[in-house]
Amino acid sequence: MLRATKSIKQKIPHNNDLDSMMSVFTKMINQSIKIGLKNNCSTLKRLSTLAYYDLDSQGLVTSYKLNAVSQACGILSRRELPLAKARGFLLP
C-alpha cells in the first residue's frame, strides 16, 4: 500500500521573545528532572508536589510550570523503563 504525503514549507520569522521563553521552559524541565532524580521519583503527582514551588521562582504562569513537570515526568519514566526491564520487573 502506498501512502501519499503532502509537505508544506513555511518561513517563520525569528522571534527573540519565543527563544527566551523556550530557554526558560527548558531550564524548568531540567530543574524538575534534577528534583526527580534527587528524590528518586517519576510519578506525576509526587514530582509536581516536589517541584512546583521550586519552579515558582521563574515567575511564569501555572500552566507552564505544570507542563514542565509533566515533560520531566515523562523523561524520568522513560528512563526507568529499561532499568525495570533489566532488573526483571517487566516482561519482555
Side-chain angles (χ1 to χ4, degrees):
M1 176 186 254
L2 183 64
R3 279 195 157 151
T5 305
K6 184 177 181 179
S7 65
I8 299 171
K9 187 175 184 179
Q10 293 180 327
K11 290 188 178 189
I12 300 172
H14 186 71
N15 188 342
N16 289 331
D17 292 336
L18 184 61
D19 286 344
S20 65
M21 188 165 45
M22 291 304 289
S23 173
V24 169
F25 186 70
T26 303
K27 289 177 186 175
M28 291 170 64
I29 293 173
N30 290 337
Q31 188 174 358
S32 298
I33 290 172
K34 287 177 187 174
I35 292 168
L37 289 173
K38 181 178 146 186
N39 294 302
N40 194 21
C41 70
S42 62
T43 61
L44 183 59
K45 185 172 183 172
R46 176 140 165 79
L47 188 59
S48 62
T49 56
L50 291 171
Y52 183 80
Y53 293 107
D54 205 37
L55 294 176
D56 208 20
S57 63
Q58 302 292 337
L60 292 174
V61 260
T62 302
S63 60
Y64 290 141
K65 291 181 244 180
L66 294 176
N67 200 352
V69 170
S70 176
Q71 291 292 317
C73 182
I75 292 168
L76 288 170
S77 63
R78 284 191 301 270
R79 175 187 168 272
E80 288 190 4
L81 187 64
L83 294 175
K85 281 184 181 178
R87 292 178 185 145
F89 293 125
L90 297 175
L91 297 175

